Short mmCIF file of all heavy atoms in Angstrom, two decimals:
data_model
loop_
_atom_site.label_atom_id
_atom_site.label_comp_id
_atom_site.label_asym_id
_atom_site.label_seq_id
_atom_site.Cartn_x
_atom_site.Cartn_y
_atom_site.Cartn_z
N GLU A 1 -9.24 -4.26 2.78
CA GLU A 1 -7.89 -4.85 2.82
C GLU A 1 -6.94 -4.09 1.90
O GLU A 1 -5.82 -3.77 2.28
CB GLU A 1 -7.94 -6.32 2.40
CG GLU A 1 -8.58 -7.26 3.38
CD GLU A 1 -8.75 -8.67 2.84
OE1 GLU A 1 -8.47 -8.92 1.65
OE2 GLU A 1 -9.18 -9.53 3.63
N LEU A 2 -7.40 -3.83 0.68
CA LEU A 2 -6.55 -3.14 -0.29
C LEU A 2 -6.24 -1.72 0.16
O LEU A 2 -5.10 -1.25 0.03
CB LEU A 2 -7.22 -3.14 -1.66
CG LEU A 2 -7.26 -4.50 -2.37
CD1 LEU A 2 -8.23 -4.46 -3.55
CD2 LEU A 2 -5.87 -4.93 -2.80
N GLU A 3 -7.24 -1.03 0.71
CA GLU A 3 -7.00 0.34 1.19
C GLU A 3 -6.01 0.35 2.35
O GLU A 3 -5.16 1.24 2.42
CB GLU A 3 -8.33 0.99 1.59
CG GLU A 3 -9.17 1.35 0.39
CD GLU A 3 -10.54 1.91 0.71
OE1 GLU A 3 -11.05 1.68 1.83
OE2 GLU A 3 -11.09 2.58 -0.17
N LEU A 4 -6.06 -0.64 3.22
CA LEU A 4 -5.09 -0.74 4.31
C LEU A 4 -3.68 -0.99 3.78
O LEU A 4 -2.69 -0.62 4.42
CB LEU A 4 -5.49 -1.85 5.29
CG LEU A 4 -6.65 -1.53 6.21
CD1 LEU A 4 -7.08 -2.76 7.01
CD2 LEU A 4 -6.29 -0.39 7.17
N GLN A 5 -3.58 -1.60 2.61
CA GLN A 5 -2.28 -1.85 1.97
C GLN A 5 -1.79 -0.63 1.19
O GLN A 5 -0.73 -0.66 0.58
CB GLN A 5 -2.37 -3.05 1.05
CG GLN A 5 -2.61 -4.36 1.76
CD GLN A 5 -2.86 -5.51 0.79
OE1 GLN A 5 -2.39 -5.51 -0.34
NE2 GLN A 5 -3.63 -6.49 1.24
N GLY A 6 -2.57 0.46 1.18
CA GLY A 6 -2.16 1.68 0.52
C GLY A 6 -2.69 1.88 -0.89
O GLY A 6 -2.33 2.84 -1.56
N TYR A 7 -3.54 0.99 -1.36
CA TYR A 7 -4.11 1.13 -2.69
C TYR A 7 -5.21 2.20 -2.71
O TYR A 7 -5.91 2.39 -1.72
CB TYR A 7 -4.75 -0.19 -3.15
CG TYR A 7 -3.78 -1.24 -3.62
CD1 TYR A 7 -3.23 -2.16 -2.74
CD2 TYR A 7 -3.44 -1.34 -4.97
CE1 TYR A 7 -2.36 -3.14 -3.19
CE2 TYR A 7 -2.58 -2.32 -5.43
CZ TYR A 7 -2.03 -3.21 -4.52
OH TYR A 7 -1.18 -4.19 -4.97
N TYR A 8 -5.34 2.87 -3.84
CA TYR A 8 -6.48 3.73 -4.14
C TYR A 8 -7.46 2.82 -4.87
O TYR A 8 -7.14 2.28 -5.93
CB TYR A 8 -6.04 4.90 -5.02
CG TYR A 8 -7.14 5.84 -5.40
CD1 TYR A 8 -7.59 6.80 -4.50
CD2 TYR A 8 -7.73 5.78 -6.65
CE1 TYR A 8 -8.60 7.68 -4.84
CE2 TYR A 8 -8.74 6.65 -7.00
CZ TYR A 8 -9.17 7.59 -6.10
OH TYR A 8 -10.18 8.47 -6.44
N VAL A 9 -8.65 2.61 -4.30
CA VAL A 9 -9.56 1.58 -4.79
C VAL A 9 -10.81 2.19 -5.42
O VAL A 9 -11.42 3.09 -4.85
CB VAL A 9 -9.98 0.62 -3.64
CG1 VAL A 9 -10.89 -0.47 -4.16
CG2 VAL A 9 -8.75 0.02 -2.98
N ILE A 10 -11.16 1.67 -6.59
CA ILE A 10 -12.35 2.12 -7.32
C ILE A 10 -13.22 0.90 -7.60
O ILE A 10 -12.76 -0.10 -8.16
CB ILE A 10 -11.96 2.78 -8.66
CG1 ILE A 10 -11.05 3.98 -8.42
CG2 ILE A 10 -13.22 3.19 -9.44
CD1 ILE A 10 -10.39 4.49 -9.67
N LYS A 11 -14.48 0.98 -7.19
CA LYS A 11 -15.47 -0.06 -7.50
C LYS A 11 -16.03 0.25 -8.88
O LYS A 11 -16.64 1.29 -9.09
CB LYS A 11 -16.57 -0.06 -6.43
CG LYS A 11 -17.86 -0.77 -6.81
CD LYS A 11 -17.69 -2.26 -6.93
CE LYS A 11 -19.03 -2.92 -7.16
NZ LYS A 11 -19.28 -3.37 -8.50
N LEU A 12 -15.81 -0.64 -9.82
CA LEU A 12 -16.29 -0.43 -11.18
C LEU A 12 -17.72 -0.96 -11.30
O LEU A 12 -17.98 -2.12 -11.02
CB LEU A 12 -15.38 -1.16 -12.17
CG LEU A 12 -13.92 -0.70 -12.15
CD1 LEU A 12 -13.07 -1.60 -13.04
CD2 LEU A 12 -13.79 0.74 -12.56
N THR A 13 -18.62 -0.09 -11.70
CA THR A 13 -20.02 -0.51 -11.82
C THR A 13 -20.46 -0.62 -13.27
O THR A 13 -21.27 -1.46 -13.60
CB THR A 13 -20.96 0.45 -11.07
OG1 THR A 13 -20.74 1.78 -11.56
CG2 THR A 13 -20.70 0.41 -9.58
N LYS A 14 -19.92 0.23 -14.13
CA LYS A 14 -20.28 0.18 -15.54
C LYS A 14 -19.07 0.59 -16.35
O LYS A 14 -18.47 1.64 -16.10
CB LYS A 14 -21.45 1.11 -15.82
CG LYS A 14 -21.96 1.00 -17.22
CD LYS A 14 -23.29 1.69 -17.38
CE LYS A 14 -23.71 1.57 -18.81
NZ LYS A 14 -25.08 1.20 -18.97
N THR A 15 -18.70 -0.25 -17.29
CA THR A 15 -17.56 0.05 -18.17
C THR A 15 -17.98 -0.16 -19.61
O THR A 15 -19.06 -0.66 -19.89
CB THR A 15 -16.35 -0.87 -17.85
OG1 THR A 15 -16.67 -2.20 -18.25
CG2 THR A 15 -15.99 -0.84 -16.37
N ASN A 16 -17.10 0.19 -20.52
CA ASN A 16 -17.39 -0.01 -21.94
C ASN A 16 -17.11 -1.45 -22.39
O ASN A 16 -17.33 -1.78 -23.54
CB ASN A 16 -16.60 0.98 -22.79
CG ASN A 16 -15.11 0.74 -22.73
OD1 ASN A 16 -14.58 0.37 -21.68
ND2 ASN A 16 -14.42 0.96 -23.83
N LYS A 17 -16.62 -2.28 -21.47
CA LYS A 17 -16.33 -3.68 -21.79
C LYS A 17 -16.99 -4.57 -20.75
O LYS A 17 -16.67 -4.52 -19.57
CB LYS A 17 -14.82 -3.92 -21.78
CG LYS A 17 -14.08 -3.18 -22.88
CD LYS A 17 -12.62 -3.59 -22.91
CE LYS A 17 -11.81 -2.78 -23.89
NZ LYS A 17 -12.17 -2.97 -25.27
N ASN A 18 -17.90 -5.42 -21.19
CA ASN A 18 -18.52 -6.39 -20.29
C ASN A 18 -17.46 -7.37 -19.80
O ASN A 18 -16.52 -7.69 -20.52
CB ASN A 18 -19.64 -7.14 -20.99
CG ASN A 18 -20.82 -6.25 -21.32
OD1 ASN A 18 -21.05 -5.25 -20.66
ND2 ASN A 18 -21.56 -6.62 -22.34
N GLY A 19 -17.63 -7.85 -18.57
CA GLY A 19 -16.73 -8.85 -18.02
C GLY A 19 -15.51 -8.30 -17.31
O GLY A 19 -14.70 -9.07 -16.79
N ILE A 20 -15.36 -6.97 -17.28
CA ILE A 20 -14.22 -6.37 -16.57
C ILE A 20 -14.39 -6.64 -15.07
O ILE A 20 -15.50 -6.58 -14.55
CB ILE A 20 -14.14 -4.85 -16.87
CG1 ILE A 20 -13.69 -4.62 -18.31
CG2 ILE A 20 -13.21 -4.12 -15.90
CD1 ILE A 20 -12.27 -5.02 -18.61
N PRO A 21 -13.30 -6.93 -14.34
CA PRO A 21 -13.40 -7.20 -12.91
C PRO A 21 -14.08 -6.07 -12.13
O PRO A 21 -14.14 -4.93 -12.57
CB PRO A 21 -11.93 -7.37 -12.48
CG PRO A 21 -11.26 -7.86 -13.72
CD PRO A 21 -11.94 -7.13 -14.84
N ASP A 22 -14.54 -6.43 -10.93
CA ASP A 22 -15.35 -5.55 -10.10
C ASP A 22 -14.59 -4.38 -9.49
O ASP A 22 -15.15 -3.31 -9.28
CB ASP A 22 -15.96 -6.35 -8.94
CG ASP A 22 -16.78 -7.52 -9.41
OD1 ASP A 22 -17.71 -7.30 -10.20
OD2 ASP A 22 -16.48 -8.66 -9.01
N VAL A 23 -13.31 -4.59 -9.17
CA VAL A 23 -12.56 -3.61 -8.40
C VAL A 23 -11.24 -3.29 -9.11
O VAL A 23 -10.54 -4.20 -9.57
CB VAL A 23 -12.28 -4.14 -6.97
CG1 VAL A 23 -11.38 -3.20 -6.19
CG2 VAL A 23 -13.59 -4.37 -6.22
N LEU A 24 -10.92 -2.01 -9.16
CA LEU A 24 -9.63 -1.53 -9.67
C LEU A 24 -8.88 -0.94 -8.50
O LEU A 24 -9.40 -0.06 -7.80
CB LEU A 24 -9.86 -0.47 -10.76
CG LEU A 24 -8.66 0.35 -11.20
CD1 LEU A 24 -7.59 -0.53 -11.82
CD2 LEU A 24 -9.09 1.43 -12.17
N ALA A 25 -7.66 -1.42 -8.25
CA ALA A 25 -6.84 -0.92 -7.15
C ALA A 25 -5.51 -0.42 -7.71
O ALA A 25 -4.84 -1.12 -8.46
CB ALA A 25 -6.60 -2.03 -6.14
N ILE A 26 -5.16 0.82 -7.33
CA ILE A 26 -3.93 1.44 -7.82
C ILE A 26 -3.04 1.75 -6.63
O ILE A 26 -3.44 2.47 -5.71
CB ILE A 26 -4.24 2.74 -8.59
CG1 ILE A 26 -5.25 2.47 -9.71
CG2 ILE A 26 -2.96 3.35 -9.14
CD1 ILE A 26 -5.86 3.70 -10.32
N ALA A 27 -1.83 1.19 -6.66
CA ALA A 27 -0.87 1.42 -5.57
C ALA A 27 -0.02 2.64 -5.91
O ALA A 27 0.10 3.03 -7.08
CB ALA A 27 0.02 0.19 -5.41
N PRO A 28 0.58 3.25 -4.89
CA PRO A 28 1.54 4.32 -5.17
C PRO A 28 2.60 3.80 -6.15
O PRO A 28 3.04 2.66 -6.05
CB PRO A 28 2.15 4.62 -3.80
CG PRO A 28 1.10 4.20 -2.82
CD PRO A 28 0.44 3.00 -3.45
N GLY A 29 2.94 4.60 -7.13
CA GLY A 29 3.87 4.16 -8.16
C GLY A 29 3.17 3.51 -9.34
O GLY A 29 3.80 2.97 -10.22
#
């Protein structure tokens, strides 16, 4: 859905902070 809306989507699997949401979506701009 997010990709169809034009977002660049990254599935976060491991970060330096526990509890960070699963998906990061970046729109143009």
Side-chain angles (χ1 to χ4, degrees):
E1 289 173 354
L2 289 166
E3 287 176 338
L4 285 173
Q5 294 173 28
Y7 283 89
Y8 180 79
V9 181
I10 301 167
K11 162 69 174 105
L12 300 173
T13 55
K14 186 167 178 135
T15 69
N16 66 324
K17 294 186 186 295
N18 293 334
I20 289 292
D22 303 304
V23 175
L24 167 63
I26 306 167

